[in-house]
Amino acid sequence: MGKRVGMEVSIAAAEVVGLCDVDVIAAYPITPQTHIVEHLSELVADGHLDAEFVPVESEHSAMSTCVGAAAAGARTFTSTSSQGYALMAEICYIASSLRLPIVMAVANRALSAPISIWNDHADMMMARDTGWIQTVAENGQEVVDLLLHAYRVAEDPRVLLPVMVNLDGFILSHMIEPIYMPDKEEVQRYLPPYKPALRLDPRNPMTFGPVGMPEVYTEAKKAQDEAMKGALPVIVEAWKEFEKHFGRAYHPVETYKTDGAEILLLTMGSVSETAMTAVDKMRAEGKKVGLVHLRLWRPFPAKELVEALQGAKAIVVVDRAMAFSTQSGPVCVEVKAALFDHGISTYVQNFVAGLGGRDVTVEDFEMMVAKTSDGLAKGLPMTYEIVNVRE
Amino acid sequence: MGIAAEALKDFKGFNLKKLPEVEPLSSGHRACQGCGEILALRQVLKALGENVIVASATGCMEIVTSPFPQTAWRVPWIHVAFENAAAVISGVESAYKALNRKGKIDQPDVVFLAYGGDGGTADIGLQALSGALERGHNFIYVCLDNEAYMNTGIQRSSSTPYGAMTTTSPPGKKSIGQRTWKKNVAYIAAAHGIPYVATASPAFALDLMNKVKKAAMIPGPAYVHIFSPCPTGWRHETDLAVEVARLAVLTKIFPLYEVIDGRWILSRKVAKPKPVSEYLKVQRRFRHLTEKDIEDIQRRVDEEYEDLLRRCAMSGGEPEKKEGEEAQGD
């Protein structure tokens, strides 16, 4: 039986990866991801985890090593953040195109310049179009649960895509939280051993990663797109299975006090917990406010999201990264597109908040709701605004 | 006795009269007519046999052997990107180590080969190569050096020799062509203190194949730098790749040697060297060079050869006896 422990979230992430019987871990240190791979290297050094820990010379080689190891049939893990992700991004496209079920934890952090080691979602957004499944954790328990879920989804023969589990750097990664940590048997019951469909094997030689002439490239991308679309029901199914095993339920889109809500906040990541507190406070004041929380970023659960947002008079989308599109942040673009596709023209106001570790407070959410309410009443144009900028 | 010497104590070389019949790299690939590089790669694969996994860098050899849905590879092969063949093979090797140890597979004798051109080795892939050599993975890295980015159309690399014409080092009123001297990656590899480093040439096929076989037998990283003439980029006749490769050795431009456990050993001493002009004049990439330029190159080649002789003398390395090879060379 597993047990409830007080544990730093990074350590908990490493512990659960260790329980997944990984074979190869390749890692390069980058703040604030470091505690995750430090603890994994300790687990290997102490003999608690039988895996190859490959201390590579760069993040680029970390992903390259994971690609080689996964292609050879090993269960692999790596972790990164920010600039490290930027360096490995080239290979992330290839990992998904080769259909390798690599799992990576990303301790989300802002991108330079100016250099910032603190949290926002710029790295996660840079990964948006790489063909990786992306889930987003709200607290430490979810980091543990989503990592388990990640292997189950990635290795499902119907999916075979790499999975990125996002956790807010420092805000989550360095927090000590009460976490229910499963034991090895519980993990094994949920996560079957990895049986690769294809692997680099001299007894059955295959060519991985050949040249794609114009006659085949488009077809390869379509196959990837279909894999991503097909992953959504498998992701949901794996969460339902997770609930059966562990009693905790997850959904692509989650709601909090949305019944009768006229204004809905939409958030991703740990800031959702602050948003819940804000919703509690505003509900207590009689304001009809609710929260929609995105757990799954890729594939984008458009249908589920529209269902959750339907009926609201206004939507407040909180982005944690810049898109420089001059229209809105990256999450809001998707939200607007999903609404438009479903023939819904709800008033959507977009706020970019919490960049580079700036706190997003309950008061900030109150301000966003107030501004949106005002804009809706006055018929102001929908726009985006970077909040709390000191001029 | 060092790791490599220990592994090689019962080494038996290939016999000229009875070469392996196995062809892990099949015919029917798309290499240019007279390509010295594909010839070298074929020799490498013949030496390694079929119990091998190959990681390829982006480059000529990747493009010509793998246009989907065709492949020239009869052994498992993976291409990921330009600069990471050494990191990819690190992963493959680590996976096999872990899976064998954990009893998930029983394949302890697989050989791991990564190869790249000079761009993917001396330039963009140097960091990944250095990392993999330093970490001590049990693999062979082969650099197939055709002295420029030939796959993209003859752009200079740090392995392009001084004075050579490429499309990004064109000779002109203010330029001699390539204005820097060739980066010596074999020396860089040797500086990692790995058990085995060698240079080889497809013109000396037995020597090349024996070196690759040694590299496979030795535990830990091995680096083999192979001189690979490119008729397209070097502007020499398409039937001359082997001749050009031979001239590079006989003019001391590309000496053949091994570094075994840090001991430098000349594979063949060039007792009566030919002048470098004989090598340069068969390639139109050097045709703009003046007598003075050629003298400068000759001086530098002599100095570098002397440096190599000193290294060999200091570590007590003697040229090895080569059976059946004299007919090929000097």
Side-chain angles (χ1 to χ4, degrees):
Chain A
M1 279 294 285
K3 59 183 177 192
R4 203 168 154 86
V5 290
M7 196 178 267
E8 187 188 303
V9 172
S10 290
I11 306 300
E15 288 277 334
V16 80
V17 167
L19 293 173
C20 291
D21 189 30
V22 289
D23 304 304
V24 176
I25 301 151
Y28 188 78
I30 184 162
T31 302
Q33 159 268 89
T34 38
H35 290 185
I36 299 175
V37 298
E38 278 172 6
H39 189 61
L40 278 165
S41 69
E42 285 166 8
L43 291 175
V44 172
D46 291 336
H48 297 307
L49 171 59
D50 189 359
E52 287 295 307
F53 187 90
V54 189
V56 284
E57 83 296 334
S58 75
E59 302 280 359
H60 192 283
S61 283
M63 187 48 63
S64 302
T65 300
C66 284
V67 165
R75 186 174 277 172
T76 60
F77 178 79
T78 188
S79 180
T80 193
S81 290
S82 182
Q83 303 305 120
Y85 176 77
L87 184 58
M88 68 161 62
E90 182 201 13
I91 310 305
C92 289
Y93 283 86
I94 301 170
S96 62
S97 191
L98 289 175
R99 306 288 298 275
L100 298 170
I102 298 161
V103 170
M104 171 160 71
V106 176
N108 301 126
R109 170 188 149 185
L111 282 163
S112 295
I115 189 167
S116 163
I117 60 166
W118 294 276
N119 167 244
D120 69 30
H121 285 176
D123 47 13
M124 185 204 305
M125 291 306 150
M126 187 167 44
R128 191 182 58 177
D129 302 331
T130 52
W132 283 56
I133 291 167
Q134 288 197 60
T135 57
V136 191
E138 195 178 300
N139 56 45
Q141 185 65 57
E142 294 188 4
V143 172
V144 167
D145 294 353
L146 291 180
L147 280 167
L148 262 179
H149 175 259
Y151 279 109
R152 169 100 183 210
V153 168
E155 294 169 2
D156 190 303
R158 296 167 292 175
V159 177
L160 293 177
L161 286 172
V163 179
M164 180 184 296
V165 176
N166 291 285
L167 62 145
D168 286 320
F170 289 118
I171 295 169
L172 267 188
S173 64
H174 285 55
M175 207 53 61
I176 294 170
E177 292 189 7
I179 289 168
Y180 181 87
M181 183 62 66
D183 67 18
K184 187 121 190 150
E185 286 70 35
E186 286 173 305
V187 169
Q188 280 170 345
R189 277 200 291 276
Y190 177 67
L191 179 66
Y194 173 41
K195 289 204 174 63
L198 308 170
R199 60 183 287 265
L200 291 166
D201 179 359
R203 294 176 306 196
N204 185 20
M206 286 179 195
T207 292
F208 283 55
V211 176
M213 304 302 262
E215 300 82 51
V216 300
Y217 183 84
T218 308
E219 284 69 21
K221 290 296 124 179
K222 180 158 189 284
Q224 243 181 302
D225 189 48
E226 282 173 357
M228 188 59 97
K229 284 177 184 160
L232 185 55
V234 182
I235 292 165
V236 172
E237 182 189 304
W239 271 329
K240 281 185 183 147
E241 279 291 309
F242 188 90
E243 189 180 355
K244 273 189 217 161
H245 280 81
F246 299 100
R248 290 183 292 280
Y250 292 101
H251 308 94
V253 176
E254 294 180 3
T255 56
Y256 182 72
K257 296 192 176 173
T258 52
D259 285 349
E262 290 178 356
I263 295 182
L264 286 175
L265 283 161
L266 193 147
T267 56
M268 260 192 341
S270 62
V271 78
S272 301
E273 296 208 332
T274 315
M276 285 179 199
T277 309
V279 167
D280 289 345
K281 184 163 180 247
M282 287 185 276
R283 281 277 184 176
E285 292 161 1
K287 296 191 179 100
K288 291 176 179 172
V289 180
L291 172 71
V292 173
H293 168 227
L294 261 180
R295 160 102 48 238
L296 183 66
W297 173 231
R298 281 293 181 271
F300 189 72
K303 191 167 153 281
E304 293 81 352
L305 185 72
V306 168
E307 277 167 18
L309 295 175
Q310 247 168 2
K313 288 183 181 166
I315 299 161
V316 186
V317 180
V318 184
D319 259 298
R320 312 275 312 283
M322 295 297 296
F324 301 110
S325 76
T326 72
Q327 290 207 118
S328 65
V331 176
C332 192
V333 170
E334 297 276 4
V335 172
K336 282 180 177 170
L339 292 170
F340 185 89
D341 287 347
H342 288 79
I344 298 167
S345 52
T346 312
Y347 187 79
V348 179
Q349 180 61 34
N350 186 202
F351 294 94
V352 176
L355 296 182
R358 185 74 60 84
D359 272 348
V360 185
T361 62
V362 168
E363 290 71 32
D364 291 332
F365 285 112
E366 289 180 294
M367 174 273 290
M368 292 178 212
V369 168
K371 274 197 173 177
T372 304
S373 185
D374 189 46
L376 178 67
K378 290 180 182 162
L380 297 177
M382 298 191 289
T383 179
Y384 80 99
E385 176 187 332
I386 305 173
V387 304
N388 288 342
V389 181
R390 288 196 296 271
E391 303 285 2
Chain B
M1 197 180 280
I3 293 168
E6 174 71 28
L8 297 176
K9 63 180 192 292
D10 298 321
F11 177 77
K12 286 191 180 63
F14 289 104
N15 186 333
L16 194 60
K17 288 174 185 158
K18 197 174 178 252
L19 287 169
E21 288 176 13
V22 63
E23 296 283 1
L25 176 66
S26 83
S27 55
H29 53 69
R30 315 285 184 85
C32 299
Q33 191 176 29
C35 172
E37 190 175 3
I38 198 91
L39 174 64
L41 187 57
R42 177 186 168 208
Q43 292 171 3
V44 169
L45 269 298
K46 277 180 88 71
L48 291 177
E50 289 180 314
N51 195 23
V52 64
I53 297 176
V54 183
S56 171
T58 309
C60 291
M61 294 302 97
E62 171 253 341
I63 297 291
V64 303
T65 61
S66 79
F68 184 88
Q70 296 164 339
T71 178
W73 292 92
R74 296 193 174 112
V75 289
W77 179 92
I78 182 168
H79 164 258
V80 180
F82 193 6
E83 65 282 40
N84 66 350
V88 172
I89 209 73
S90 298
V92 176
E93 187 258 3
S94 299
Y96 265 74
K97 206 185 282 176
L99 296 175
N100 273 310
R101 186 176 62 232
K102 294 164 92 168
K104 294 181 180 179
I105 60 171
D106 183 21
Q107 294 173 276
D109 302 321
V110 176
V111 173
F112 304 100
L113 169 71
Y115 71 86
D118 48 293
T121 304
D123 291 345
I124 196 168
L126 189 63
Q127 175 181 309
L129 172 61
S130 175
L133 296 179
E134 177 269 327
R135 291 190 300 272
H137 297 281
N138 183 22
F139 77 115
I140 307 164
Y141 190 95
V142 168
C143 173
L144 298 160
D145 182 4
N146 61 16
E147 301 195 325
Y149 290 83
M150 298 307 183
N151 182 49
T152 42
I154 326 173
Q155 294 86 20
R156 61 86 74 186
S157 80
S158 61
S159 194
T160 301
Y162 175 78
M165 179 267 291
T166 74
T167 55
T168 50
S169 65
K173 282 180 187 160
K174 294 183 175 179
S175 168
I176 188 175
Q178 174 84 348
R179 59 183 175 76
T180 55
W181 294 89
K182 185 179 176 77
K183 189 190 276 185
N184 195 329
V185 186
Y187 278 30
I188 294 169
H192 286 74
I194 59 174
Y196 190 73
V197 174
T199 60
S201 161
F204 299 87
L206 267 192
D207 177 72
L208 183 151
M209 290 174 65
N210 284 333
K211 283 170 173 167
V212 171
K213 188 177 180 182
K214 286 180 189 175
M217 288 170 69
I218 294 165
Y223 178 85
V224 184
H225 196 99
I226 304 183
F227 191 80
S228 306
C230 173
T232 309
W234 295 8
R235 305 286 198 236
H236 65 68
E237 298 304 318
T238 51
D239 60 346
L240 285 185
V242 171
E243 188 54 34
V244 168
R246 180 180 291 126
L247 277 171
V249 174
L250 301 185
T251 54
K252 303 187 296 186
I253 283 175
F254 191 82
L256 301 179
Y257 58 89
E258 293 174 297
V259 188
I260 302 177
D261 297 323
R263 205 164 65 94
W264 293 68
I265 304 157
L266 263 189
S267 305
R268 56 174 52 241
K269 188 159 185 182
V270 186
K272 293 178 197 160
K274 293 177 186 290
V276 295
S277 58
E278 268 194 48
Y279 169 79
L280 301 174
K281 74 185 179 191
V282 293
Q283 303 170 61
R284 281 188 286 141
R285 64 172 170 160
F286 294 116
R287 69 175 169 181
H288 57 281
L289 296 181
T290 64
E291 287 303 317
K292 164 81 170 56
D293 296 333
I294 293 171
E295 277 173 30
D296 289 347
I297 293 171
Q298 182 71 61
R299 194 176 315 115
R300 173 82 175 213
V301 166
D302 291 342
E303 282 170 10
E304 287 185 353
Y305 195 77
E306 286 303 314
D307 172 70
L308 178 62
L309 288 181
R310 271 196 300 276
R311 286 168 190 260
C312 294
M314 279 166 66
S315 59
E318 289 296 320
E320 287 190 333
K321 282 183 186 168
K322 298 280 175 192
E323 285 175 29
E325 283 238 355
E326 290 308 305
Q328 289 186 33
D330 52 356

